[in-house]
Amino acid sequence: MKKRSLGVIPASYNWSLEGLSAFGSLEELILDNNLLGDDLVLPGLPRLHTLTLNKNQITDLECLLDHLAEVTPALEYLSLLGNVACPNELVSLEKDEEDYKRYRCFVLHKLPNLKFLDARKVTKQEREEALVRGAFMKVVKPKASSDSVAASPKSHYTPLPSASRELTSHRGILGKCRYVYYGKNSEGNRFIRDDQL
C-alpha cells in the first residue's frame, strides 16, 4: 500500500481539519505554523504515526494529549516545539531544562507509544520514569478569578516599620568591629601586585 502524506499546509489558507476524515489511511501530518490553538479537533486517524504541530498557539497540553491518545492510537512521532504548551528554554526565558524534562515525562505518560518527541529519541530511562512519575508531572497554574482580584485590597507593603520612615525618628547604631579584613584569603588579590594599587 502506498504511503500518503499531505505535506505542509500554508498558514494563509482558511481551512478546517474536518476534511482530514476522508484520509483514513493518512500516516504523516505536518501542521506547523498554522495558528492552531486549544480548540484543535482531529478526526479519527488510526494509521497516523507522525504528527508535527510546531509553532502553533497550543497552551493546554493535557487536553491535547488526551485528544491525541483518543484519535491517533498509532502515534509514534510527535513534535510540539514553539507552542506555549512545550516549555522550551530557547523560546521562553522563564523555562529551563527541568521544565522540559517534566514536560517530556508527562507527554510520555499520556502517550506511551511515542518513539520520538520534539526531534529527540525517547530513551528507556525516560519511558521508565514516565511510568512511575508521569502522572505527577503535570504543570498546574492557579487560575485567578476576577472576584478574588477585585475583593483583595491593594496593600502597600514595606519592609520597614512605619515609625522609621520619618527622618526625625531615626535610630542608628554605631560601634566598633573587631574583625579586620586583610584580604590575604581573597582570590582576587592574588593577581594584583603592589605597583598596581
Side-chain angles (χ1 to χ4, degrees):
M1 186 171 270
K2 245 184 171 177
K3 182 173 149 184
R4 289 193 198 173
S5 176
L6 287 182
V8 179
I9 301 171
S12 60
Y13 290 118
N14 186 10
W15 55 277
S16 170
L17 296 176
E18 292 172 7
L20 290 175
S21 59
F23 299 94
S25 55
L26 185 68
E27 295 179 1
E28 296 178 14
L29 183 58
I30 300 170
L31 295 172
D32 295 351
N33 203 16
N34 278 290
L35 303 175
L36 299 172
D38 292 332
D39 56 347
L40 171 70
V41 178
L42 290 172
L45 299 168
R47 291 187 168 183
L48 189 74
H49 61 73
T50 302
L51 176 63
T52 62
L53 293 165
N54 298 319
K55 295 184 180 179
N56 282 294
Q57 298 173 348
I58 299 168
T59 58
D60 191 350
L61 182 63
E62 185 174 24
C63 181
L64 174 71
L65 296 177
D66 289 340
H67 179 63
L68 291 179
E70 182 182 330
V71 298
T72 59
L75 194 63
E76 295 178 346
Y77 303 89
L78 176 65
S79 186
L80 298 172
L81 292 171
N83 289 290
V84 175
C86 175
N88 187 344
E89 60 188 323
L90 298 175
V91 176
S92 174
L93 297 175
E94 300 167 353
K95 308 297 181 188
D96 61 4
E97 185 64 27
E98 289 302 313
D99 292 324
Y100 186 69
K101 285 179 184 178
R102 282 191 295 276
Y103 152 83
R104 284 182 69 87
C105 189
F106 184 67
V107 171
L108 293 174
H109 166 72
K110 290 286 191 177
L111 302 172
N113 295 332
L114 286 183
K115 293 181 180 177
F116 277 83
L117 176 60
D118 300 331
R120 270 184 26 195
K121 188 175 182 178
V122 175
T123 64
K124 183 180 177 183
Q125 181 182 6
E126 284 179 321
R127 202 173 295 285
E128 290 170 357
E129 186 175 354
L131 284 172
V132 176
R133 296 186 188 102
F136 308 107
M137 294 296 177
K138 176 184 172 187
V139 177
V140 180
K141 296 177 184 174
K143 294 181 181 178
S145 65
S146 59
D147 298 338
S148 64
V149 173
S152 63
K154 291 186 179 180
S155 63
H156 299 286
Y157 173 75
T158 176
L160 301 174
S162 58
S164 65
R165 286 190 223 151
E166 298 176 18
L167 294 175
T168 57
S169 65
H170 175 71
R171 289 179 242 154
I173 298 174
L174 180 64
K176 276 187 159 181
C177 179
R178 290 177 167 189
Y179 179 74
V180 178
Y181 177 71
Y182 292 107
K184 59 184 169 184
N185 295 328
S186 172
E187 289 290 320
N189 288 343
R190 123 180 125 146
F191 301 106
I192 299 174
R193 297 191 175 115
D194 289 336
D195 61 340
Q196 294 174 334
L197 294 175

